[in-house]
Amino acid sequence: MNPRQLVESLNASQREAATTTQGPLLVLAGAGTGKTRVITTRMALLISQGVSPERILSVTFTNKASKEMAERLRSMFGKRMKSKPRISTFHSLCVRILREEIEALGYRKNFTIVDRGDQESIAREVLRKIRIQEAALKPGDLLSIISRWKSAAVRPGDAGDHAEDDREFLASMAYKKYVEQLRARNSVDFDDLLLLTDQLFAYHPEALRRQQECFDFIQIDEYQDTNQLQFRVIQALVEPHGNLCVVGDDDQSIYGWRGAEVKHILSFQQHFPTAKVVRLEDNYRCTEEILAVANRLVSFNRERHRKVLRSTKKGIEPVRYEKFQDDTIEAERVVMEINYLINHRDKQPRDFAILFRTNEQPRAFESELRRRQLSYVILGSQSFFDRKEIRDLIAYLRIIAYPKDETSLLRIINVPARNIGTGTIDKIMTRAISEGIPFFEAAERATQKGILAAKAKAAVDHFRHQVEGWRKEFSNSSQPLANHLRKLIDSLNYMREIEKLYKQSTQQQIRRESIEQLVNSLDDYSKRARQPRLQEFLDEIALNDRDEFASGDKKELEQNAIKLLTIHSAKGLEFPRVYLVGMEEGLLPHKRSVIGTEKEIEEERRLAYVAVTRAQESLTMTFAETRKKWGKSQKTIPSRFLYEMRGDRDEQKKDSGGSPDSSRANGS
């Protein structure tokens, strides 16, 4: 492909970013400025200049973004592209590195990646062992604290020094036991993927050197979302050549609550003094009116790179601010307007998105949408991988791939029912733990000692033989993996289990479609993998499960339906008409930040900025004068961000109990 053809359609700043291929480069890409196009074109240019594709690494934050980038690159080169750049998420990159190098850290290469359900089981077991009651520390809260510590590279032995209250001190005691439990199972959790890679690079220079030799050019998308570990891993990988391109927008850094540190994009030039900085400020998504509001809002943040987005689209509709008496009327009026526009102004349901800050807010809107019989979907509400039928089948795949994965074994040993009750399982597990032996061996010994009845032992033996048969089936490489999964589902008679669990035919159909989607995803994986392996597919699933935008949502996103979603889930998406609802103090900004620091308020302001810049043509922001909490109506205070967007922040200071009038963005 001719390099000139690749860049001729780019604007001047996009072209400058795409053609800067040597040394460190910071691309400050505002919302809707075409950053994916720029970094894909940059990769294509490198390839057209003779760089071997496999010497290029492009790191993203979600599998959705990785796939989009790979598809764009494929459309540029078509079938002429014999090898491909490595395009992956941070965690996928770390899995690949650890599969090759983890033995240096004392693990076996066939480690398993535990899912959230497994983590909670381990956390509950650990808390029970050290006699900490759930009233003092819940398993979910323990995992959140441990995740925060791991993201900050805090090790178990140092956790006590980082504990900020009694609950975190209890967590520091449990942290060490939790890590020991994972290690005993040759398992890692999601955060370990980064933490262990960082440890590998820090203490095993030969392993680091091997990984450094894999790539000559590295680029990072959404750089504003990197945490300390991600920064250190990338810094180590680029050290020999310094060919690092990072693309991001500090104004869209909204994941501080899970360890992202906006300082990495703000201080990039300090870490890489020779870095070139290119600003992408031409916005192709939003109208002038919407961008004027967005620019005004984000300018109140102190910690940011200075930039102002310019629109390439003339606006027809002004930005609107609407005040309602209460949250019920807010939902009624918003849905009534959407209904009118669909039925009388030829708008489509897919044109509309209702964005909210918290998961509690959409209930009133759902009721109204149902009442008016408008089609809608809630995006990001439940991960595809959290559904019972999917977790069951993945557990089967995991015990086939990993014989020592007893967490998965215990999940499905009696699903569907096969006469292995909890009493039988408890007896076997007690023996397994006390003697440090595998589950099936413990069953054998328990029978010999008369602890386990012959009937129970026969049921366990039958199941063990089934597992061995499935394992043999999946080892047959002459058939696609998806075929093996279909046979497994048939042998389990799992569709009958669906009928027993769910009496409504609609629910049964939804569950069957979920199972079909799992089979399809295994088939898709097999088609794109050079050497399909069940273990690699399970790694992909473990990582997909953590995408902000669940894979099951893609189908729903494409439906001709009104979209309801949180602002966090909306990042990376765009809609013709957006309603940003609940613009009140305590909602946006969230109550946690209102009583917190200015840094937390700045992140909430960035979140509001992300919400505003999802709108392509029309933006309406609403707030209610009263909102029900615990069944009682309570007076609200309009969000400070409304005043900032309207340019009347002084008015807010004079009248904290007042509110902006319902009006257009120009204050008319």
Side-chain angles (χ1 to χ4, degrees):
M1 182 174 285
N2 190 321
R4 183 182 294 177
Q5 291 177 311
L6 291 173
V7 300
E8 63 185 6
S9 63
L10 302 179
N11 65 38
S13 54
Q14 289 175 332
R15 192 176 303 121
E16 185 181 9
T19 55
T20 302
T21 54
Q22 299 293 321
L25 169 67
L26 169 61
V27 181
L28 293 170
T33 58
K35 69 178 177 65
T36 305
R37 187 181 184 190
V38 168
I39 53 181
T40 308
T41 302
R42 187 174 179 274
M43 278 195 292
L45 272 175
L46 284 167
I47 295 166
S48 69
Q49 291 166 3
V51 175
S52 182
E54 60 265 21
R55 304 297 299 172
I56 302 170
L57 170 65
S58 189
V59 184
T60 67
F61 271 81
T62 66
N63 287 285
K64 175 178 174 281
S66 293
K67 288 173 184 173
E68 181 185 347
M69 202 176 295
E71 285 166 8
R72 288 197 186 202
L73 202 60
R74 200 177 301 117
S75 69
M76 289 180 176
F77 287 94
K79 294 180 179 178
R80 292 178 292 118
M81 199 171 183
K82 291 189 170 65
S83 60
K84 298 179 288 186
R86 182 170 291 278
I87 303 173
S88 75
T89 64
F90 267 105
H91 291 87
S92 295
L93 170 67
C94 290
V95 168
R96 184 192 64 78
I97 292 169
L98 292 174
R99 288 287 177 211
E100 295 173 5
E101 309 282 2
I102 200 169
E103 287 176 330
L105 298 173
Y107 291 79
R108 297 187 301 279
K109 284 187 178 181
N110 66 337
F111 62 86
T112 58
I113 305 168
V114 295
D115 63 17
R116 179 70 185 191
D118 295 339
Q119 283 184 274
E120 290 195 359
S121 297
I122 295 168
R124 189 170 287 107
E125 183 182 327
V126 164
L127 290 171
R128 201 161 48 231
K129 279 185 177 179
I130 60 177
R131 303 184 187 282
I132 294 176
Q133 301 293 324
E134 277 207 24
L137 183 63
K138 294 177 182 173
D141 293 337
L142 170 62
L143 293 174
S144 295
I145 295 167
I146 289 175
S147 178
R148 179 159 46 82
W149 281 335
K150 285 187 175 183
S151 295
V154 176
R155 299 190 181 192
D158 302 323
D161 297 332
H162 289 77
E164 296 179 0
D165 52 35
D166 290 346
R167 195 174 65 137
E168 289 196 2
F169 182 73
L170 292 174
S172 71
M173 296 163 57
Y175 184 10
K176 184 180 179 184
K177 295 288 185 186
Y178 171 79
V179 170
E180 288 172 354
Q181 282 287 329
L182 279 177
R183 211 179 170 106
R185 301 168 190 228
N186 194 42
S187 296
V188 300
D189 65 20
F190 194 65
D191 298 303
D192 282 331
L193 298 173
L194 286 163
L195 184 62
L196 294 176
T197 304
D198 179 60
Q199 289 176 10
L200 180 78
F201 288 176
Y203 299 110
H204 299 276
E206 283 300 305
L208 172 58
R209 183 184 55 76
R210 283 192 293 271
Q211 296 304 318
Q212 286 172 335
E213 289 174 352
C214 291
F215 306 108
D216 298 322
F217 297 90
I218 296 178
Q219 57 184 30
I220 313 295
D221 190 15
E222 304 286 9
Y223 190 67
Q224 76 277 355
D225 293 333
T226 51
N227 63 27
Q228 184 65 20
L229 286 173
Q230 288 161 336
F231 172 75
R232 281 170 25 179
V233 166
I234 291 302
Q235 193 176 37
L237 283 175
V238 301
E239 196 271 332
H241 51 72
N243 291 326
L244 173 64
C245 167
V246 301
V247 185
D249 182 9
D250 47 297
D251 290 334
Q252 296 186 75
S253 179
I254 60 172
Y255 295 113
W257 50 275
R258 66 181 188 196
E261 297 183 58
V262 71
K263 70 179 183 182
H264 294 140
I265 195 167
L266 294 175
S267 62
F268 185 78
Q269 290 161 283
Q270 294 173 27
H271 294 286
F272 301 93
T274 61
K276 182 176 183 178
V277 180
V278 178
R279 286 174 166 79
L280 306 184
E281 297 178 310
D282 292 319
N283 176 284
Y284 295 91
R285 177 189 299 156
C286 312
T287 63
E288 291 174 323
E289 287 79 1
I290 292 167
L291 277 193
V293 165
N295 285 330
R296 197 179 302 137
L297 171 67
V298 81
S299 69
F300 283 95
N301 274 2
R302 295 175 187 171
E303 294 292 315
R304 65 186 292 260
H305 287 287
R306 297 297 160 197
K307 54 190 169 306
V308 177
L309 295 187
R310 300 178 296 270
S311 178
T312 59
K313 292 168 62 176
K314 293 291 182 185
I316 299 173
E317 299 184 35
V319 173
R320 295 186 301 150
Y321 306 88
E322 298 287 351
K323 173 179 68 175
F324 299 108
Q325 185 178 339
D326 59 38
D327 48 336
T328 301
I329 295 174
E330 176 188 46
E332 286 175 357
R333 296 289 174 82
V334 166
V335 173
M336 181 172 70
E337 180 172 295
I338 292 173
N339 182 62
Y340 171 78
L341 291 170
I342 290 172
N343 290 307
H344 301 285
R345 287 292 180 266
D346 296 325
K347 302 297 181 186
Q348 292 295 315
R350 65 165 61 90
D351 294 338
F352 298 89
I354 302 173
L355 306 187
F356 38 87
R357 175 64 179 88
T358 67
N359 284 313
E360 292 77 35
Q361 288 172 256
R363 185 193 56 78
F365 292 91
E366 279 196 86
S367 298
E368 278 302 305
L369 289 164
R370 283 193 186 122
R371 191 170 72 81
R372 292 186 178 271
Q373 298 183 321
L374 292 172
S375 58
Y376 73 93
V377 291
I378 298 183
L379 299 175
S381 56
Q382 183 192 33
S383 166
F384 170 74
F385 300 101
D386 282 339
R387 297 169 187 174
K388 181 186 183 301
E389 63 276 12
I390 300 305
R391 293 196 66 197
D392 284 350
L393 292 174
I394 288 172
Y396 274 104
L397 293 177
R398 285 176 60 170
I399 62 167
I400 290 166
Y402 303 108
K404 294 185 178 179
D405 185 356
E406 288 183 352
T407 306
S408 296
L409 175 69
L410 294 177
R411 176 181 178 85
I412 47 78
I413 194 168
N414 202 39
V415 178
R418 48 177 64 92
N419 297 317
I420 305 175
T422 53
T424 298
I425 295 167
D426 287 344
K427 288 173 184 176
I428 297 171
M429 283 306 297
T430 300
R431 176 70 49 181
I433 292 167
S434 65
E435 297 186 22
I437 55 177
F439 181 88
F440 288 123
E441 187 180 335
E444 192 71 44
R445 291 195 189 180
T447 306
Q448 291 170 0
K449 294 184 180 291
I451 297 170
L452 204 62
K455 187 177 178 182
K457 171 65 165 50
V460 172
D461 279 348
H462 179 66
F463 178 59
R464 186 186 70 206
H465 291 135
Q466 280 185 302
V467 172
E468 289 169 354
W470 296 325
R471 202 166 284 143
K472 187 176 179 182
E473 171 77 30
F474 271 81
S475 67
N476 177 7
S477 58
S478 64
Q479 287 193 38
L481 287 171
N483 283 8
H484 296 318
L485 177 54
R486 289 188 193 97
K487 289 179 183 177
L488 171 64
I489 294 165
D490 289 343
S491 71
L492 291 170
N493 201 7
Y494 197 86
M495 294 306 183
R496 174 65 184 139
E497 181 74 0
I498 293 291
E499 292 169 7
K500 284 164 60 179
L501 288 172
Y502 306 100
K503 301 306 178 187
Q504 292 183 349
S505 59
T506 52
Q507 276 296 318
Q508 291 174 9
Q509 185 59 29
I510 288 169
R511 307 293 163 171
R512 289 192 197 100
E513 287 175 359
S514 292
I515 293 171
E516 182 184 348
Q517 192 174 336
L518 179 65
V519 174
N520 291 342
S521 67
L522 180 53
D523 190 44
D524 291 342
Y525 156 77
S526 298
K527 287 174 181 174
R528 69 173 185 274
R530 290 175 185 171
Q531 292 182 310
R533 292 171 59 251
L534 182 57
Q535 292 90 335
E536 189 174 73
F537 173 69
L538 292 170
D539 283 350
E540 275 199 11
I541 280 183
L543 302 178
N544 278 336
D545 193 13
R546 302 303 181 112
D547 265 9
E548 189 65 35
F549 199 68
S551 65
D553 286 332
K554 184 180 179 183
K555 193 175 178 182
E556 293 173 334
L557 184 63
E558 292 169 352
Q559 288 181 29
N560 188 15
I562 299 156
K563 309 304 186 296
L564 275 65
L565 65 168
T566 65
I567 303 170
H568 282 101
S569 294
K571 188 166 179 285
L573 304 176
E574 55 188 41
F575 306 93
R577 311 186 69 84
V578 167
Y579 291 83
L580 177 53
V581 300
M583 289 293 289
E584 298 142 29
E585 292 288 301
L587 283 179
L588 187 64
H590 194 274
K591 59 188 176 185
R592 286 193 302 269
S593 64
V594 171
I595 59 173
T597 63
E598 183 59 29
K599 181 180 176 183
E600 291 171 303
I601 289 292
E602 290 209 351
E603 176 150 326
E604 289 290 301
R605 189 176 285 114
R606 292 193 293 267
L607 192 58
Y609 172 83
V610 165
V612 167
T613 54
R614 297 313 94 197
Q616 296 169 301
E617 301 164 10
S618 170
L619 172 65
T620 301
M621 287 175 278
T622 71
F623 67 96
E625 291 183 298
T626 62
R627 187 169 294 274
K628 275 190 179 173
K629 294 176 183 176
W630 302 105
K632 294 182 179 179
S633 292
Q634 296 185 17
K635 194 165 178 59
T636 68
I637 298 173
S639 170
R640 68 192 73 188
F641 302 149
L642 289 174
Y643 293 95
E644 292 170 359
M645 284 187 267
R646 289 168 55 97
D648 55 5
R649 203 180 189 194
D650 290 339
E651 189 67 25
Q652 177 205 11
K653 292 176 182 175
K654 283 192 290 182
D655 183 16
S656 62
S659 62
D661 295 328
S662 297
S663 67
R664 298 181 174 188
N666 59 15
S668 61

